[in-house]
């Protein structure tokens, strides 16, 4: 009897086929044996016929089973024929798998459907079976599972096919019963007007894009995005969610939180029901942004002085009747458009805009905090094409006299057919209605076109509706003119920052000029330190409540805002209690003159009380823009008193068409030597002070700061360590000292500039 051969029951008909080959045998779930066909090298399943008693299935002769030698297929056939022809069946000992053996192999199959030789031997030893028995059981089990899977797939496909057929019939019936809205008679596609046909094609294209984004979003949502209502459909108001989620001091998807205002702390990631609406809103906003950037009259009209484009609000409502709804009562519309060519590759520019940390750093003078609540899509093809993010941000002006603007919006990035990239924001305030909201972003953002030599052309559209009743009278003209938060400020900041980044990566630095830092690593470290200094200054000067400052009341000076902060375990700041004092005032001097006066080290002792009348000398500098005033400098104050040690000051001065800054901080000499040699700048303690200069909004700004007429709005801010012990109590004397310091500085600046203007 060949090893591994099954003996048929007495009443079983012969299993030998006409061609002399043994018939195939199948298996039930408990069947553990198979028969190898040595002629073809394949496994044939054992199939008992209906006359075979269930108790006789899957049996084997233990006394004749040989695991080391398998007989040929022809011997198996002879053995089977001999048994069938023998009229006197011999009584043999049979063995069938026990329930325990089947359960153990079933459990092992779930973990490992393809055991190797070692695993089969181990399993056979544990179950008291031969390795070949285990091998054949697993082969049969895999075949059985494959058959069941295919049967299930076939059923699913059949159901989907039936559903599609039913939909097709329903659409055919609807088309056959269509009627003309004018005459009531039958109509056909060919009878449409050209405009109607064009609109149908446009709707189909938009629907296709929505479906594509929905499919992408479904990967992150966890289930397919269902059909959604029109944007213009009224949404039921809901109370503001008070959950915090990844917000309020915890790292979010975008990384570090840049502060968190009271309103923004209460906003959480969107719900599953919100996501279809967000996707549709983003697609519609993208279409609106592209048209707003490309259209001219009658949507955009020239201003009286010919320098700006003014949005016709009535024409806007006619062209874009849908969107985020009518303008709230008491809100004012601010709309502007600006274009510029910047020195940055279009791909890198898109990455900066879509990364919340890089975006906040790039626009640190405008963005006081930003957070990505949820990423609905990361894009396709390895880039940000199709990326969709739900975000919150707070926008600021560098003064304590203008309230910040908080916004909850979705950001959508898309590459268009002509290669142009577009990034659009649109408010989601309808999803989180709040009586405290003072700002709404209609579709705003930029179009980015690739140009030669790594440049990009950027067309920026900024369109917001805002309640500006909290703006101080000094800044009302600037804010209402659109220069405070408009497209011109965004583009000017972007242009200046792109020049700064290009300077940081420059390698062909001439070594002839005195004081120029040519060490590449030293330049990068020093510019990174200056960047952190600027961010820290902007965080302490605006009216933002997003940061870790506490505003003090009863400081004795209504026009000076004093805040305090305790610094503990922060290597970038000295430990202890820090006071920040800021004030803003008007000067009858053009911004360019104010900026040049404040950045010039030769006139520094006219206003800098802390230099004690010492001579200020520039030791090193890094140019970071076309304007000679845009640079990072290392200054040394040579004290007039020989008993006092000299002091080093790190200073960055920068100016663009809409704003200018002079920001500085005393630094340790040893720490700066490490930075200049390319060391890590993150461990250099800084307390920045400085100035922000803005035009007052009354003059013309055709050529930017150089040709600006009118007066200036100057903000002065100091950060001073008043106690090196963080747990110490703040004394009123410290507050009075800081108030006196800022008041004296203001008087000195006014006196010096008044003498110059006279």
């Amino acid at each position: 009897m060949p090893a591994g051969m099954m003996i048929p029951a007495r009443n079983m008909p012969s299993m030998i086929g006409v061609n002399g080959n043994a018939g195939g045998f199948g298996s039930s779930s408990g069947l553990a044996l198979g028969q190898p066909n040595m002629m073809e090298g394949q496994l044939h399943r054992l199939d008992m016929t209906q006359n075979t008693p269930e108790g006789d299935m899957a049996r084997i002769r233990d006394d004749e089973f040989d695991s080391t030698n398998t007989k040929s297929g022809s011997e198996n056939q002879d053995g089977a024929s001999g048994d069938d022809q023998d009229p006197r069946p011999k009584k043999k000992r049979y063995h069938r798998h026990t329930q325990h053996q089947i359960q153990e192999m079933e459990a092992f199959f779930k973990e490992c459907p393809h055991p190797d030789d070692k695993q089969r031997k181990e399993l056979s030893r544990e179950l008291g079976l031969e390795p070949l028995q285990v091998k054949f059981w697993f082969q049969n089990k895999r075949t059985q599972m494959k058959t069941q899977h295919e049967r299930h797939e076939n059923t699913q496909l059949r159901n989907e096919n039936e559903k599609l057929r039913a939909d097709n019939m329903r659409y055919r019936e609807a088309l056959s019963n269509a009627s003309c809205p004018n005459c009531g008679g039958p109509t056909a596609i060919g009878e449409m007007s050209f405009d109607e046909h064009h609109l149908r094609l446009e709707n189909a294209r938009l629907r296709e894009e929505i479906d594509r984004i929905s499919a992408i979003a479904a990967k992150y949502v966890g289930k397919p995005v269902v059909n959604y209502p029109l944007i213009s459909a009224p949404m039921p108001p809901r109370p503001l969610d008070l959950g915090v989620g990844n917000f309020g001091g915890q790292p979010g998807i975008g990384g570090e939180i840049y502060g968190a205002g009271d309103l923004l702390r209460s906003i959480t990631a969107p719900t599953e029901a919100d996501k279809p609406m967000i996707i549709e809103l983003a697609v519609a906003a993208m279409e609106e942004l592209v048209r707003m950037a490309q259209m001219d009259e009658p949507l955009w009209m020239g201003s009286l002085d010919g320098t700006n484009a003014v949005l016709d609000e009535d024409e806007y409502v006619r062209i874009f009747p849908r969107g985020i709804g009518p303008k709230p009562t008491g809100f004012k519309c601010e709309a502007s458009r600006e274009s510029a060519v910047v020195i940055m590759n279009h791909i890198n520019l898109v990455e900066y805009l879509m990364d919340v940390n890089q975006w906040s750093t790039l626009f640190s003078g405008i963005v006081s905090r930003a957070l990505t609540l949820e990423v609905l899509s990361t894009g396709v093809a390895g880039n940000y094409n199709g990326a969709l993010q739900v975000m919150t941000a707070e926008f600021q002006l560098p003064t304590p006299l203008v309230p910040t603007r908080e916004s909850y919006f979705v950001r959508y990035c898309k590459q268009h057919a002509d290669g142009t990239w577009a990034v659009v924001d649109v408010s989601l305030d309808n999803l989180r209605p709040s009586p405290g909201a003072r700002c709404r972003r209609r579709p705003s953002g930029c179009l980015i076109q690739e140009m030669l030599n790594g440049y990009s052309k950027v067309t920026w559209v900024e369109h917001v509706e805002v309640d500006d009743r909290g703006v101080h009278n000094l800044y009302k003209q600037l804010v209402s003119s659109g220069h405070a938060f408009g497209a011109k400020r965004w583009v000017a900041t972007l242009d200046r920052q792109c020049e700064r980044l290009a300077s940081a990566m420059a390698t062909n630095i001439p070594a002839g000029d005195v004081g120029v830092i040519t060490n590449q690593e030293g330049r990068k470290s020093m510019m990174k330190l200056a960047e952190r200094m600027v961010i820290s200054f902007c965080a302490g000067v605006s009216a933002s409540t997003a940061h870790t400052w506490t505003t003090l009341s009863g400081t004795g000076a209504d026009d000076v805002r004093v805040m305090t902060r305790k610094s503990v375990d922060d290597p970038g700041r000295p430990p202890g209690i820090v006071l920040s004092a800021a004030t803003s005032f008007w000067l009858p001097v053009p911004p360019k003159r104010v900026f040049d006066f404040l950045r010039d080290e030769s006139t520094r002792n006219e206003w800098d009380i802390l230099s004690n009348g010492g001579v200020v000398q520039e030791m090193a500098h890094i140019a970071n823009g076309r304007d000679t005033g845009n640079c990072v400098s290392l200054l040394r104050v040579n004290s007039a008193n020989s008993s006092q040690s000299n002091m080093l000051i790190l200073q960055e001065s920068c100016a663009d068409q809409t704003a200018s800054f002079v920001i500085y901080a005393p630094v340790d000499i040893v720490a700066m030597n490490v930075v200049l040699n390319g060391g890590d700048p993150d461990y250099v303690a800084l307390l920045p002070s400085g100035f922000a200069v803005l035009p007052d909004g009354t003059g013309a700004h055709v050529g930017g700061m150089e040709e600006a007429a009118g007066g200036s709005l100057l903000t002065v801010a100091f950060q001073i360590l008043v106690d090196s012990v963080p747990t110490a109590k703040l004394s009123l004397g410290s507050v009075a000292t800081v108030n006196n310091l800022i008041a004296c500085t203001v008087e000195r600046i006014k006196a010096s500039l008044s003498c110059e203007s006279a």
Side-chain angles (χ1 to χ4, degrees):
M1 180 66 64
M5 184 61 196
M6 179 166 294
I7 305 301
R10 178 181 306 177
N11 296 329
M12 181 187 295
S14 175
M15 303 296 291
I16 306 301
V18 178
N19 57 3
N21 294 329
F25 292 84
S27 126
S28 66
S29 61
L31 188 61
L33 298 180
Q35 175 182 352
N37 188 328
M38 297 304 178
M39 300 299 294
E40 297 181 5
Q42 297 179 349
L43 177 69
H44 287 258
R45 292 181 297 168
L46 302 178
D47 188 12
M48 296 304 179
T49 65
Q50 59 187 2
N51 296 329
T52 305
E54 183 178 355
D56 294 334
M57 295 179 64
R59 299 181 178 178
I60 187 167
R61 296 187 55 188
D62 291 340
D63 56 337
E64 293 185 14
F65 189 89
D66 184 4
S67 63
T68 62
N69 185 22
T70 303
K71 299 297 182 69
S72 67
S74 60
E75 293 174 340
N76 292 344
Q77 296 170 12
D78 294 340
S81 301
D83 286 343
D84 285 345
Q85 294 170 0
D86 190 357
R88 294 174 299 170
K90 299 178 182 179
K91 188 175 182 181
K92 305 293 183 182
R93 290 189 302 111
Y94 294 96
H95 172 75
R96 62 183 289 180
H97 295 330
T98 65
Q99 194 67 24
H100 171 70
Q101 291 171 336
I102 294 173
Q103 290 176 352
E104 290 295 319
M105 287 190 286
E106 289 276 7
F108 196 92
F109 183 86
K110 293 179 180 178
E111 300 293 332
C112 179
H114 295 271
D116 54 22
D117 290 339
K118 183 179 179 180
Q119 291 172 316
R120 288 198 298 268
K121 289 180 181 179
E122 181 69 24
L123 191 59
S124 65
R125 185 166 54 253
E126 292 178 358
L127 301 179
L129 299 174
E130 292 294 335
L132 274 179
Q133 291 178 275
V134 176
K135 176 181 179 180
F136 295 152
W137 188 91
F138 274 88
Q139 287 177 341
N140 292 336
K141 185 66 176 178
R142 287 194 296 270
T143 303
Q144 182 187 50
M145 295 301 293
K146 181 180 178 181
T147 302
Q148 291 177 355
H149 181 68
E150 290 175 349
R151 187 181 299 115
H152 178 69
E153 284 188 344
N154 289 339
T155 303
Q156 279 189 323
L157 291 174
R158 191 178 298 108
N159 292 337
E160 291 180 8
N161 192 20
E162 291 295 332
K163 182 180 178 182
L164 291 174
R165 184 178 291 108
D167 289 344
N168 191 15
M169 293 298 296
R170 188 171 67 254
Y171 293 147
R172 286 176 180 272
E173 183 179 355
L175 285 175
S176 64
N177 295 330
S179 60
C180 175
N182 295 326
C183 65
T187 186
I189 299 296
E191 298 175 7
M192 289 183 186
S193 67
F194 175 79
D195 290 339
E196 184 178 358
H197 184 59
H198 178 74
L199 287 175
R200 285 180 180 269
L201 292 177
E202 181 75 5
N203 287 339
R205 186 181 66 79
L206 290 175
R207 176 66 61 178
E208 181 180 0
E209 181 176 356
I210 293 172
D211 292 341
R212 182 178 65 82
I213 297 176
S214 300
I216 296 173
K219 299 178 182 178
Y220 305 92
V221 174
K223 62 182 181 181
V225 180
V226 296
N227 291 332
Y228 28 78
L230 295 176
I231 299 178
S232 56
M235 287 171 288
R238 293 182 302 185
L240 191 66
D241 291 340
L242 297 179
V244 175
N246 287 336
F247 220 123
Q250 299 297 328
I253 295 175
E256 179 185 356
I257 284 185
Y258 287 80
D262 293 337
L263 174 63
L264 298 179
R265 278 196 186 96
S266 62
I267 297 178
T268 60
T271 64
E272 296 295 324
D274 293 335
K275 291 175 182 177
M277 182 72 71
I278 292 174
I279 293 171
E280 183 179 3
L281 192 62
V283 173
M286 177 64 70
E287 291 291 322
E288 180 174 323
L289 173 72
V290 173
R291 297 178 67 184
M292 290 274 286
Q294 296 174 347
M295 294 178 68
D296 291 317
E297 295 185 1
L299 182 63
W300 294 96
M301 308 295 290
S303 60
L304 295 177
D305 57 7
T307 59
N308 299 312
V310 179
L311 180 70
D312 187 322
E313 293 189 47
D314 294 334
E315 188 68 17
Y316 171 80
V317 173
R318 189 189 68 81
I319 297 176
F320 306 106
R322 295 165 52 164
I324 59 175
K327 181 172 63 178
T329 305
F331 279 41
K332 292 184 179 179
C333 173
E334 294 180 9
S336 55
R337 183 175 66 177
E338 190 72 22
S339 297
V341 176
V342 299
I343 181 171
M344 181 179 284
N345 178 279
H346 63 293
I347 298 298
N348 293 338
L349 189 51
V350 169
E351 291 177 352
Y352 267 93
L353 296 176
M354 296 305 295
D355 183 284
V356 67
N357 290 343
Q358 294 191 80
W359 176 64
S360 300
T361 301
L362 196 67
F363 297 101
S364 58
I366 304 176
V367 182
S368 58
R369 64 155 304 281
L371 175 69
T372 301
L373 289 177
E374 185 166 350
V375 176
L376 299 184
S377 172
T378 57
V380 294
N383 55 40
Y384 283 103
N385 184 22
L388 204 63
Q389 304 174 0
V390 177
M391 305 175 64
T392 59
E394 184 181 55
F395 306 107
Q396 65 179 355
L397 200 64
T399 174
L401 302 182
V402 177
T404 56
R405 299 179 174 185
E406 300 169 335
S407 184
Y408 171 54
F409 58 93
V410 59
R411 175 164 293 178
Y412 175 37
C413 177
K414 180 184 176 183
Q415 184 181 21
H416 293 271
D418 60 353
T420 301
W421 286 82
V423 178
V424 65
D425 298 343
V426 61
S427 279
L428 300 176
D429 298 305
N430 286 338
L431 303 179
R432 296 287 189 276
S434 170
R438 297 194 308 269
C439 177
R440 247 184 10 157
R441 284 175 74 76
R442 287 193 178 272
S444 303
C446 61
L447 266 61
I448 304 168
Q449 294 174 270
E450 180 184 8
M451 300 190 72
L452 298 177
N453 301 322
Y455 284 77
S456 300
K457 181 182 179 182
V458 177
T459 302
W460 201 288
V461 174
E462 196 68 17
H463 190 188
V464 300
E465 294 165 342
V466 62
D467 179 3
D468 62 355
R469 286 173 290 186
V471 177
H472 192 278
N473 288 333
L474 272 178
Y475 286 85
K476 276 194 178 296
Q477 181 66 31
L478 177 65
V479 172
S480 62
S481 68
H483 290 291
F485 294 94
K488 192 169 188 176
R489 186 174 173 220
W490 285 95
V491 170
T493 303
L494 176 63
D495 187 22
R496 172 171 54 81
Q497 290 287 59
C498 287
E499 287 186 358
R500 190 184 194 279
L501 291 169
S503 174
M505 294 184 290
T507 56
N508 54 344
I509 308 300
D513 296 339
V514 178
V516 175
I517 301 175
T518 58
N519 177 13
Q520 181 72 10
E521 295 302 319
R523 287 171 59 88
K524 287 184 178 179
S525 294
M526 187 167 169
M527 293 189 72
K528 185 178 179 182
L529 180 62
E531 179 183 73
R532 177 161 64 86
M533 177 179 68
V534 171
I535 293 174
S536 179
F537 171 82
C538 293
V541 72
S542 74
S544 172
T545 59
H547 302 278
T548 54
W549 295 99
T550 302
T551 303
L552 302 178
S553 59
T555 58
D558 294 335
D559 54 347
V560 178
R561 188 197 61 173
V562 180
M563 302 185 299
T564 181
R565 176 175 59 194
K566 293 182 179 180
S567 178
V568 182
D569 296 332
D570 187 349
R573 297 188 182 96
I577 298 178
V578 178
L579 280 183
S580 173
T583 188
S584 298
F585 58 97
W586 179 79
L587 285 170
V589 182
K592 174 65 174 173
R593 285 183 54 194
V594 177
F595 172 69
D596 289 338
F597 168 75
L598 294 173
R599 74 175 181 86
D600 189 354
E601 67 271 10
S602 64
T603 59
R604 188 181 186 97
N605 55 11
E606 295 184 29
W607 57 265
D608 189 359
I609 299 174
L610 299 181
S611 64
N612 293 322
V615 178
V616 181
Q617 177 186 2
E618 184 184 76
M619 296 179 59
H621 76 272
I622 303 173
N624 58 11
R626 293 187 300 263
D627 193 323
T628 55
N630 288 2
C631 66
V632 177
S633 307
L634 188 61
L635 308 176
R636 181 174 61 191
V637 181
N638 299 312
S639 176
N641 187 349
S642 58
S643 63
Q644 293 181 349
S645 60
N646 295 337
M647 178 174 58
L648 284 183
I649 295 177
L650 176 68
Q651 175 177 293
E652 174 157 359
S653 57
C654 53
D656 56 48
Q657 296 181 11
T658 59
S660 57
F661 297 86
V662 178
I663 302 168
Y664 62 92
V667 289
D668 181 69
I669 296 177
V670 176
M672 281 309 301
N673 282 330
V674 174
V675 171
L676 291 175
N677 289 321
D680 188 359
D682 291 340
Y683 293 93
V684 179
L686 290 175
L687 282 179
S689 301
F691 310 93
V693 187
L694 299 172
D696 61 3
T698 60
H701 310 283
V702 179
M705 296 286 293
E706 292 79 3
E707 302 178 22
S712 302
L713 296 171
L714 178 62
T715 297
V716 184
F718 290 116
Q719 292 185 28
I720 298 176
L721 182 70
V722 296
D723 201 314
S724 59
V725 180
T727 57
K729 292 184 178 180
L730 183 65
S731 65
L732 293 178
S734 299
V735 178
T737 300
V738 174
N739 272 332
N740 290 334
L741 174 63
I742 201 169
C744 291
T745 303
V746 169
E747 290 304 319
R748 287 191 175 196
I749 292 173
K750 286 181 177 180
S752 297
L753 289 175
S754 297
C755 292
E756 283 190 10
S757 59

